[in-house]
């Protein structure tokens, strides 16, 4: 039989997202895969730049590279396609044994059509831009024109056809449609065409899903109408492109989000209006079913805001995938928080030595010392990333990072300083996180001596984290950096005497088998399980007596 031959070439299945009991996993070659990824800078999408990308990918022990493919480079003249960069990229990725997430920079790249070909950017009549309510033209393409959609879609479909043809080993595991879609400077398009659509009834698709009465956008959504209309229109546009691409080559497809500050959002247009910010995720989910993941781009350095974003984007209907995160030191610890929410991947942004840094979003430099914090947290996971992906899909997991920031948060764009002053008042309490694991609790604290019960003082800089998986009611897998993890009875065991039965240190073999190394006991367990900057993977069994 040769049915589904394309999906099983070389005996390998296409990458696929699966969801079970509210948990998500990206299956690659038939196995759950954790994307410890790196995103290259925006202009690294040429063969000449790649030699400054791979070394950094390896240095931080990433297994996946996110890199853009630009509409302007694949269709420089209308109808003439050139996929030579894609071919070079796939070939090199295979040599380096690195998976790829391709980023389709086209109609929108951070609001603008910068990556669209000149024949698009120069043709205002055929590819109209957004018009403000006072009649100004912005450099953001309108989502309301079929001419624009069809041109973008045609190029995207050509890309997917090409991938299907050349990427026999499935080096490409996901595709991001556009980049940080939306519009800065206006809540929506106010052109005549847009206004006429805006005055029409809310489309049935959205009305049914949200159980809305008949009515136009303003009647349905009041003061949110313009933003919701823009979000819906862009989401439909992206959905159409993703759907057409999947019809050719059904890879998982994502969009990434220029976030608004969840505590201090400001007005749409001051952030990228129409993108899937926290207030319009539900609209996006209805309008863009072909987009499998709405992925946040995290440039909030502080714990409170960064973890709030993770809470918002980890949903039963949305696998948590951090498409971008600043590559500076404070962000690295959020790997623990991402994995604790069942995250399927994370990618620090700007990971190459082409000579650019997006400070103050990311690190000031692009040398090894700048990349070291991510190299460290990735190194903790990379030897057993496959096992973690499986465990995270099958078992309950928790992950926390040091919660008290040690750098003064900076106000960047729509981000305000949200670090709580209260944190400083009761430092020991603030530095204590209690994870409710069922019969047992795990208490995680930061910055205390390994011996004795001195209260936590925190690390400087804040950089600790811990990861726990529950393998059975009384046994857990634990690892961490610069933290103490103490297992305690929960209230359900309050009338019982409890003890540690055994703490095994070990590692996973390449085949995924647990390999015993030694038993931790005595000082190594009397005061909790203390992690510093060494890598320890522990299995702890608790009991009552
Ligand atoms: C990102 C990156 C790249 C809290 C910035 C972030 C990338 C794009 N945009 O280096 O351009 O391609 O996705 C937007 C900045 C938001 C600032 C919010 C401050």
């Amino acid at each position: 039989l040769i049915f589904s031959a394309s999906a099983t070439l070389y005996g390998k299945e296409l990458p696929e997202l699966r969801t079970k009991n509210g948990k998500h996993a990206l299956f690659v070659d038939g196995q759950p895969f954790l994307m410890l990824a790196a995103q290259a800078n925006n202009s690294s999408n040429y063969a000449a730049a790649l030699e400054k990308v791979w070394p950094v990918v390896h240095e931080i022990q990433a297994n996946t590279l996110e890199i853009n493919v630009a509409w302007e480079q694949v269709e420089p003249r209308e109808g003439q396609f050139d996929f030579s960069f894609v071919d070079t990229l796939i070939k090199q990725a295979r040599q380096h044994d690195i998976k790829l997430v391709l980023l389709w920079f086209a109609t929108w790249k951070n609001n603008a059509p910068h990556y669209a070909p000149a024949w698009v950017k120069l043709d205002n009549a055929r590819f109209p831009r957004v018009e403000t309510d006072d009649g100004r033209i912005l450099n953001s393409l309108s989502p309301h024109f079929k001419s624009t959609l069809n041109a973008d879609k045609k190029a995207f479909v050509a890309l997917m056809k090409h991938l299907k043809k050349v990427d026999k080993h499935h080096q490409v595991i996901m595709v991001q449609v556009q980049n940080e879609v939306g519009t800065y400077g206006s809540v929506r398009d106010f052109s005549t065409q847009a206004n006429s659509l805006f005055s029409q009834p809310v489309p049935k698709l959205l009305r049914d899903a949200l159980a809305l009465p008949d009515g136009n956008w303003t009647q349905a959504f009041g003061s949110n109408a313009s933003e919701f209309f823009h979000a819906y229109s862009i989401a439909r546009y992206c959905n159409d492109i993703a759907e057409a691409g999947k019809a050719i080559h059904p890879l998982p497809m994502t969009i990434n989000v220029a976030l608004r500050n969840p505590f201090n959002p400001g007005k749409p247009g001051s952030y990228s209006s129409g993108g899937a910010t926290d207030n319009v995720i539900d609209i996006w989910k209805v309008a863009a079913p072909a987009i499998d993941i709405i992925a946040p781009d995290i440039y909030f350095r502080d714990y409170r805001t960064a973890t709030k974003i993770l809470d918002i984007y980890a949903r039963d209907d949305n696998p948590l995938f951090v498409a971008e995160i600043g590559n500076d030191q404070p962000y690295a610890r959020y790997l623990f928080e991402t994995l604790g929410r069942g995250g399927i991947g994370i990618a620090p942004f700007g990971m190459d030595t082409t000579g650019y840094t997006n400070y103050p979003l990311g690190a000031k430099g692009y040398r090894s010392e700048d990349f070291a914090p991510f190299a460290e947290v990735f190194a903790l996971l990379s030897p057993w990333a496959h096992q973690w992906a499986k465990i995270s899909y099958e078992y309950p997991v928790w992950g926390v990072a040091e919660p008290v920031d040690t750098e003064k948060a900076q106000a960047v764009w729509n981000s305000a300083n949200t670090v709580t002053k209260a944190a400083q008042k009761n430092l020991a309490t603030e530095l204590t996180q209690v994870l409710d694991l069922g019969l047992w609790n795990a208490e995680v604290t930061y910055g205390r001596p390994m011996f004795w019960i001195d209260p936590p003082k925190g690390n400087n800089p804040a950089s600790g984290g811990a990861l726990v998986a529950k393998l059975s009611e009384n046994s857990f897998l634990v690892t961490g950096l610069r933290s103490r993890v103490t297992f305690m009875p929960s209230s359900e065991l309050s009338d019982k005497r409890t003890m540690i039965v055994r703490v095994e240190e070990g590692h996973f073999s390449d085949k995924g088998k647990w390999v015993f190394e030694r038993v931790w006991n005595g000082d190594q367990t009397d005061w909790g399980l203390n992690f510093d900057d060494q890598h320890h993977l522990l299995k702890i069994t608790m009991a009552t007596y």
Side-chain angles (χ1 to χ4, degrees), residues 69-72 103-109 112-117 120 141 152 155-156 177-179 237 241:
V69 172
W71 185 5
E72 67 176 349
L103 318 174
W104 176 239
F105 282 18
T107 299
W108 293 281
K109 158 58 174 96
H114 297 314
Y115 282 81
V120 172
L141 292 176
D152 185 323
F156 187 71
V177 180
Q178 313 295 340
N179 190 82
Y237 187 110
I241 291 174

Side-chain angles (χ1 to χ4, degrees), residues 42 109-110 179-180 297 299 324 349 358 412-415:
N42 289 164
K109 158 58 174 96
N110 311 7
N179 190 82
E180 292 192 347
D297 291 352
Y299 292 100
E324 292 176 32
F349 176 86
N358 68 355
V412 192
W413 283 19
N414 60 334
S415 140

Side-chain angles (χ1 to χ4, degrees), residues 86-348:
V86 175
D87 294 343
T88 304
L89 178 66
I90 290 175
K91 196 170 146 221
Q92 292 190 13
R94 184 159 157 72
Q95 284 159 358
H96 286 271
D97 192 21
I98 297 294
K99 297 293 185 186
L100 295 168
V101 174
L102 298 188
L103 318 174
W104 176 239
F105 282 18
T107 299
W108 293 281
K109 158 58 174 96
N110 311 7
N111 132 97
H114 297 314
Y115 282 81
W119 56 267
V120 172
K121 290 190 281 198
L122 293 172
D123 193 341
N124 293 343
R126 190 172 156 206
F127 308 111
R129 287 171 166 78
V130 163
E131 194 177 322
T132 63
D133 56 356
D134 56 357
R136 286 171 297 116
I137 301 294
L138 299 179
N139 197 12
S140 185
L141 292 176
S142 169
H144 302 302
F145 294 87
K146 278 267 178 313
S147 43
T148 319
L149 171 62
N150 288 339
D152 185 323
K153 186 163 67 178
K154 192 174 150 207
F156 187 71
V157 163
L159 170 66
M160 296 310 290
K161 275 189 184 148
H162 190 76
L163 286 185
K164 181 180 179 172
K165 190 172 89 194
V166 302
D167 190 21
K168 301 292 187 202
H169 297 275
H170 307 144
Q171 216 61 38
V172 179
I173 57 176
M174 289 204 317
V175 179
Q176 178 185 294
V177 180
Q178 313 295 340
N179 190 82
E180 292 192 347
V181 297
T183 300
Y184 289 107
S186 182
V187 59
R188 66 170 171 94
D189 183 6
F190 289 88
S191 65
T192 317
Q193 294 86 336
N195 286 343
S196 113
L197 287 170
F198 183 69
S199 66
Q200 284 167 26
V202 172
K204 188 167 158 31
L205 175 68
L206 192 58
R207 248 182 23 232
D208 288 354
L210 303 183
L212 296 171
D214 287 358
N216 64 25
W217 288 87
T218 309
Q219 287 159 338
F221 298 115
S223 59
N224 289 320
S226 281
E227 182 180 10
F228 288 11
F229 169 74
H230 201 46
Y232 181 82
S233 307
I234 295 180
R236 291 304 288 162
Y237 187 110
C238 293
N239 187 66
D240 208 355
I241 291 174
E243 209 172 64
K246 281 182 167 182
I248 305 291
H249 192 49
L251 288 178
M253 300 221 179
T254 72
I255 60 123
N256 64 331
V257 186
L259 300 167
R260 63 177 207 166
N261 186 306
F263 300 116
N264 175 28
K267 287 210 167 65
S270 71
Y271 58 86
S272 188
S273 180
T277 45
D278 59 86
N279 52 327
V280 294
I281 294 175
D282 291 336
I283 291 179
W284 264 85
K285 282 291 171 187
V286 173
I291 299 293
D292 303 289
I293 304 179
I294 295 173
D297 291 352
I298 300 181
Y299 292 100
F300 300 110
R301 289 168 172 260
D302 67 289
Y303 179 85
R304 178 170 168 257
T305 317
T307 54
K308 177 73 180 172
I309 293 298
L310 297 174
D311 285 338
I312 290 170
Y313 287 88
R315 302 169 32 137
D316 285 354
D317 64 356
N318 195 58
L320 179 60
F321 173 54
V322 180
E324 292 176 32
I325 189 164
N327 61 3
D328 207 358
Q329 185 278 327
Y331 302 100
R333 70 195 202 271
Y334 301 136
L335 171 66
F336 294 102
E337 297 271 351
T338 301
L339 298 183
R341 289 166 178 79
I344 63 165
I346 185 169

